[in-house]
Structure formats: structure tokens, C-alpha cells
Amino acid sequence: MKLSELHNGESAVIVKVSGHGGFRKRIMEMGFVRGRKVTSVIDAPLNDPIKYTIMGYDVLLRRSEANLIEVLPEAEANSVLTAEDAKAPNFFACTDCDSCGLTCGAKRSKTTQRNIINIAFVGNPNSGKTSLFNALSGGNEHVGNYSGVTVDVKTGHFNYKGYHFNITDLPGTYSLSAYSPEELFVRRNLLESMPDVIVNVVVASNLERNLYLTTELIDLSQRVVVALNMYDELEATGAQLDYQNLGSMIGIPMVPTVAKTGKGLDKLLDTIIDMFEGANKSARHVHINYGTILEPEISKLADILHETEDFPQQFPARYWAIKMMEGDKEVAKLLQNSKSYDKLEKQATISSEEVKKQLDIDAETAISDAKYGFISGALHETYTEGNIEANKKTRRLDKLIVNKWLGFPLFVIVMWLMFSVTFWLGTYPQDWIAAGFDALGNYLNGIMPEGAWRSLVVDGIIGGVGAVAEFLPNIILLYMFISLMEDSGYMSRAAFLMDKMMHGMGLHGKSFIPMVMGFGCNVPAIMATRSIESKSSRLITILVVPFMSCSARLPVYLLLAGAFFPSYAATIMICLYLLGILVAVITAKLLRLTAFKQDETPFVMELPPYRWPTLRATLKHIWEKCYQYIKKIGTVILLASVITWVLSYYPHTETSDTNIAQNETETTSAIEQQYENSYLGMIGKFIAPVMSPMGFDWKISVAVLSSIPAKEIVVSTLGVLYGSEDEDLGEALQKSGDLNIASALALMVFMLLFFPCIATIGAVASETKKVKWAFFSVFYNTAVAWIAAYVTYLIANLF
């Protein structure tokens, strides 16, 4: 029977994995191999994907992928597998390098300064790798409880017992193959940087699956230390692990750690130092015995490489031989300049065919089976299961949170709560900050002599910067909600809920995570698409992320919604965010139907357990984003405010300098005349004909144009043009008559969909590796923004 035919709550044993290429490679790495018990847990609200439990963790598969996995009831499967596996080799037989005939040891990098240790963190997604990195280095990297948070190299430095540690946090990966960008990135980094010690971070309560990556590191023949992270979760289940014996068996020392409390970190660092100095007694290189069929073929390939010795010496010939057997295309490219490559390639084909002939499975599957056999043998000797169900809390919460009837309503409630609290609670400190800037402006206005300098400081800097700075509390609240959703594991559930819809628009459920991250900032959201294995889905996601309303647009919404829709501000904001999602859906569907008709990789995604977000991690995340916002205020926004003021002040007329006028109306008229005749007015009038169909005059047109460097600049520009000492900016906009309800709505829609900021355009070009997609984003988004804003203006005028 097919895995997809299992009803919720039913279990079966895997007997065969069909399919081909990257899909089969990935699910085997994640534990979907012959003989493994798998349980169907729950269907998504739209019946796709399905959550399964295997090896003590949860994973999502679409029905189409589950159809490729054949299972049998446990009793029936046991008899079938016992008969077949009786002929299988003993995969746990390891050999020490000292007694091995093969010369496979890799050349290690030499450290010129004996007190400097370069270490790299390698581990599965959700293994707590970045938490451990932060605990050791004091870094401010964000820790998210879903796959793909660490999408680039993070570095840190610290001193310990006279040693200087350079620490690198690499992206989460399940193996070191060529399936995903993370896997390639990690392998290339290890190959090029050659760290002194690799720290393999594994989840202690989920060893069988996590140790698959460890077997890959064993093949690399490097100095490795295993950090058994979240060891408290293993102990909580009542399980027992003889980690010292396990470490001795596989030749890698193991250290229990709990990153969130700091437990075991000193012991981990001491072990790293011992490994660096060659003083650890349990460290030794072992070979995973791949069996009587595979081993001779691997030896043939390794011997061919040793004939010329012109392969990358950082890793041993045995490793390259194994990867050639697996059909790793990136390794083939890396070795193609070898003098023996033609012979190597021919032998790899012959060896793979021989394995297929004798085992009736391809070499890649046979090697994965051998690795899991190695792991099972080691754990059989050292691990005793506990009597308390792991992740019991997660199972109970998922019955509610991803329930077929309650999942979507709960998601909508969470999003509504996020925006409501962001607007209403943020109003109070927002008013205090605005009052502070107003008081500062009035004070400086009273003590500075009249003229250009006073106007620059009061109207340009205080007015422009203050208009943006007052929205800092709202930014803090928005990022707090996003951080809590990420760290708790709810973000992955949102992807689970949305996968059916995402699949309908030609994307993965994984694409939903970068899209939600885009509510914070489009740049890291675009970088987070690296966790999407499918190239076409990744590219489409990159192109639709800019339609997700980032926090930079939030001040514009808060200003306009608060001024023109005070009673419905939260609802208006939710509608804007939903509109952005809708436009992204339509765009993705169009791209899938035209430029990217084929989706190369099926949907496979791990569902991590729920965890309480730590106060330290949440505060770090908020502080990091606040610092970025404040830094932007003090640089980009400040510069833009000064430029806007200069353009609005010159050429200058004497009439606007007078502070003696017949009445307030005459003074206001003189100021408006100054702005209109300035360089800024000239620019505004030049582009106004294009913007006028949406009800925008030259001032609003200039504000829109100023948003190209950063969207917050719209508010600072309006602050310069409409700033008043006696009223806030929202009231000034209302009284000016330049905007009404229809044009205010049109402006918010335009800013939602318009040209992404310069940093986002740069990220699009960088991540796609093609400038043409950056230009596509600029022109397509601008056209969509104009059309949507114009339609909004027409509809609003009807009512």
C-alpha cells in the first residue's frame, strides 16, 4: 500500500521508496528508508500536505510524494524485511585508519598561531546551532524555530583559557550532498576554509536522524566534536545515552549541552581545545563499512584517484569516491580537471550498475541504508529509549492549531491580533515621541535666529526625522510578534496550513515562511528563500516577496490610516497586507504559467516541536531590528530629509522668511508658494501628470518618488512639506485638502505595491545572480502599483 493511504493515527513500515533524483535523496536523508516505522498524524485543513512522524520527529509530505513510498503493516513488513535483510551486510563494522590498507586520510590545514582555533558549526535545521553560536560568541544572530533561518555564514569571536576562537555558524543542512543550496554552501565552505575543528550540533532527543549528517562528517576525515544539544529534552523522556561509549565507537567525542541555559559549554570548549591539540583519547578516524558489495567498488574509485593524487586534498579520496558512486553532479564538476577523471567516471558508472545488479537498489540508496545501519548499530549498544513520550505537548497543540476547522480561523485571529496591537498599543509611546520632537522643534525655533539654518534644523531635520522616529514603538511591536511566531514553531505551522494554497499558485509551503518574514523586512526574507530546494519556486518566491508589506511601509500606513480612518485603522492595515498577499499569489501563478512551467522539486519539510521562546532571544531580535531602524533614521532618513529640505528651500524668496504677516492664512500661503516654486516643486510638477489620475498633486508625487531609497522617507518628506508647530502631521494632511479618503487609500495601495527599496532590489539581483530579474521587479511592481492604486481611487470615489 502507499503511505498516502494511511489514515490518521495508523502506523506502517517502509518497504520501498520510489521516485528519483533530489526527492528520494532528501527523504532518505530524513529517515524514510526501508524498515522504518512511520505514523500518519494529521492532514492539513485542505487535506494536503500530511504530517507524519518518523524517528521521533514530524515531517510534512504532500500526497503526491507520499504516493511514492510503499509501506506494509508492521507484522507483514517484519516477515518480509527479516527474510531479505538476513543477506544484508553488517553495516556497523568500523575499521581504524591505522589498520586499514587504504590511504584515505585527508591533509589537514595548519594553524600558524597555536592559540587561534577556527571552528565551524554544522547541524540539521532546528538543532539549536545558532542558539549555541550566540551563547558562545555573544552574537546577535536571530534564532528561529524553522528551517532556513541561518541562510549565510555568521562569524563570532571570543577568548577562552588563553585561546582565541573564531567561530562560524553555517546554514542548517541534512547532509553534504548537492540537493539544496544549503548543502552545497556548507560543503564548499568546509572545503575552502578548512576549519581546525568542526562542531556537529545534533538534537540529543532525536539522534537517529541527526547522526546521518555525522556519518557524512566521518567520511570527510576531519576533526569533529559532537555537541549533544537540548540534552535536557532527552533526559526529560527518561532515555539514557552512554555518550562517552558512543563517541569512542564512532571516533568522535560527544558533549551534552543545553544552549539556552549554558550547560555544558565549558566542557564543549575544553573538548575542542583537546581536539585541536591532538590530546583527545577517544578521537580516531573510522571507516563506515558499506558492506561486501559497496566497499570493493568504493576502493576501486579511491585507487583511481590515488593514481594521480590531483583531487582536492582537503577531503580524502574515499569521500570523493563515495560521492561519485552517489552520482553527485557537483563533485563530478569538481573532479573533472583530474587527469584520471575519464577513467573515474567510467568506473563510477560500472560500479553503480554492479551495485544495482546485486542489491536491486541504486548505489545512492544503498549508501544511505548503510549509513542508517551504522547509526542503528551504534545506538543499539549505547542508547536506551525512555518511557515518556517525546513532544507530547506538540502533539496536543497541533490537534488544535492545525485542525481542519480551527487552523485557518486561528491564523487569521493571530494576524489580526498582531496588527491591532501594533497599531493601538503603539499609539501611546508614538504620541510621546511625537510630543518630544515637537517640544524640541519649538525650543530650537525660539532660540535660533531666523533664516536658513533654523529652517534646516527645525523643518528639515527635526520635522523629517521626527516624523519617522515616532513610529519606532510600532516597529518594535511588529517584530516582537514575528519573533514569537518564528521562535515558538508557529511559523512552520502557518506554512503547513498554507501549503495547499501555495501549491495552487505553483509554490511550496516553504515559500510562505519568507513571505511572512517579508512583513518585517524584504531583504532577509529574500535571503531566506535559500531553504527552498526548487530553483523555479525559489526564484518565483524572490520576485513576489517585495509585495509583502515590510515594516518600512508601516509608518506610511499608520500616518494615513490614523488620519483618514481613525476608527478602522487596524482593519485597513489588515486589508492592505491581504492585498499584498493576493497580488503575490496572482503574480506567482502568472510566472508559473509562463516563465517557470516546471517545478523541479517536490515539497518536503520538517515540522519542529513547539518551544517557549526565550526572553533573551526575543529581546535580542527586537533590539537588532530597532538598532537597524534607528541607524537608518540617523543615516538614510536624515540625509533624505536634508536633501528634501534643500530642494524645497531653494531657490528661496524673501517673502517666505517673514514671520510678520497680516494673518495665519497669508503666512501659510507664502510657505506653500515657496514650496511650489522650489526645485522640489519643479520635480513634483514634472511627474504629477503621471500621478494625477490617482488624485495625487505635486507634493504627494514628490513624497512617492522619495521612497525609492527607503519607504520611511515618504513620511519624512511629508513631514518637511506639511510640518506644523501647532498640529501633528496627520492633522496637517487632513487640513491641507491635498488628500481625501479616496486618494489616501490610493496612496497606501501604491506604497504597498510600488518599486521595492534599493536594498531589496540589490538582494533580488544578488540572490538570482541575474540583473534582469531586478529590473523586472522594478518595472513590474511599479506598473502593478499604478494600476491597483488607480482602480482603488475610482472605486473609492464611487462610495
Side-chain angles (χ1 to χ4, degrees), residues 1 3 6-14 36-41 52-53 71-75 77:
M1 64 183 294
L3 178 59
L6 281 184
H7 298 294
N8 291 163
E10 292 182 346
S11 300
V13 176
I14 299 172
R36 300 299 168 185
K37 179 182 175 181
V38 59
T39 303
S40 176
V41 180
Y52 295 99
T53 296
V71 297
L72 287 174
E74 291 184 70

Side-chain angles (χ1 to χ4, degrees), residues 121-123 129 150-153 169-173 182 185-186 530:
F121 276 19
V122 177
K129 181 170 51 62
T150 307
V151 293
D152 210 337
V153 171
D169 179 23
L170 296 174
T173 179
E182 285 91 350
F185 189 93
V186 171
R530 294 177 186 175

Side-chain angles (χ1 to χ4, degrees), residues 366-380:
I367 290 171
S368 293
D369 286 346
K371 289 181 183 293
Y372 276 114
F374 175 86
I375 295 167
S376 295
L379 292 179
H380 180 74

Side-chain angles (χ1 to χ4, degrees), residues 459-733:
D459 300 326
I461 297 176
I462 302 298
V465 171
V468 177
E470 66 182 76
F471 295 104
L472 178 61
N474 308 94
I475 302 296
I476 292 174
L477 290 170
L478 178 65
Y479 273 111
M480 180 190 72
F481 272 96
I482 293 176
S483 177
L484 291 175
M485 287 194 294
E486 291 174 356
D487 297 349
S488 66
Y490 182 74
M491 194 75 87
S492 291
R493 270 69 189 180
F496 174 67
L497 291 169
M498 297 299 295
D499 178 68
K500 186 72 173 182
M501 291 185 180
M502 301 299 288
H503 191 45
M505 58 190 271
L507 293 177
H508 286 202
K510 276 188 177 182
S511 298
F512 186 70
I513 292 174
M515 290 171 72
V516 174
M517 288 180 67
F519 291 154
C521 180
N522 290 167
V523 175
I526 288 172
M527 295 175 67
T529 59
R530 294 177 186 175
S531 65
I532 303 170
E533 294 86 0
S534 167
K535 291 182 180 178
S536 62
S537 289
R538 179 170 178 258
L539 185 51
I540 293 174
T541 306
I542 288 172
L543 295 176
V544 302
V545 160
F547 290 120
M548 300 298 101
S549 186
C550 66
S551 60
R553 297 176 173 101
L554 186 60
V556 182
Y557 306 153
L558 292 170
L559 172 65
L560 298 175
F564 293 91
F565 312 96
S567 301
Y568 307 99
T571 304
I572 292 292
M573 287 171 60
I574 292 173
C575 290
L576 285 169
Y577 281 80
L578 291 176
L579 176 61
I581 294 172
L582 177 62
V583 173
V585 168
I586 295 172
T587 299
K589 191 65 176 178
L590 289 173
L591 289 170
R592 180 61 75 190
L593 292 174
T594 54
F596 309 102
K597 295 183 179 180
Q598 184 178 0
D599 189 12
E600 306 91 346
T601 309
F603 173 77
V604 183
M605 180 177 176
E606 180 183 350
L607 206 60
Y610 291 103
R611 292 192 175 94
W612 280 108
T614 63
L615 180 62
R616 181 171 179 266
T618 302
L619 290 178
K620 273 189 172 183
H621 185 206
I622 293 172
W623 163 245
E624 179 183 353
K625 299 304 178 184
C626 288
Y627 174 76
Q628 292 175 0
Y629 191 73
I630 294 170
K631 184 179 179 181
K632 185 184 286 187
I633 290 174
T635 53
V636 177
I637 306 299
L638 175 60
L639 178 61
S641 297
V642 172
I643 292 173
T644 302
W645 175 85
V646 170
L647 292 175
S648 68
Y649 194 80
Y650 296 102
H652 191 62
T653 58
E654 292 299 325
T655 55
S656 59
D657 272 337
T658 182
N659 57 1
I660 303 174
Q662 296 297 321
N663 53 56
E664 184 179 350
T665 302
E666 188 174 328
T667 303
T668 303
S669 177
I671 295 173
E672 290 179 351
Q673 186 179 5
Q674 163 61 36
Y675 285 150
E676 188 171 355
N677 294 327
S678 67
Y679 294 125
L680 195 66
M682 297 175 192
I683 296 172
K685 289 177 181 179
F686 178 76
I687 63 172
V690 179
M691 313 299 285
S692 60
M694 296 168 285
F696 302 164
D697 68 352
W698 69 268
K699 292 182 183 178
I700 305 301
S701 300
V702 165
V704 169
L705 191 65
S706 71
S707 71
I708 291 176
K711 298 308 173 196
E712 303 97 330
I713 298 177
V714 171
V715 178
S716 66
T717 302
L718 293 174
V720 173
L721 294 175
Y722 291 95
S724 171
E725 300 173 13
D726 303 318
E727 56 192 4
D728 64 28
L729 183 55
E731 292 176 353
L733 277 171

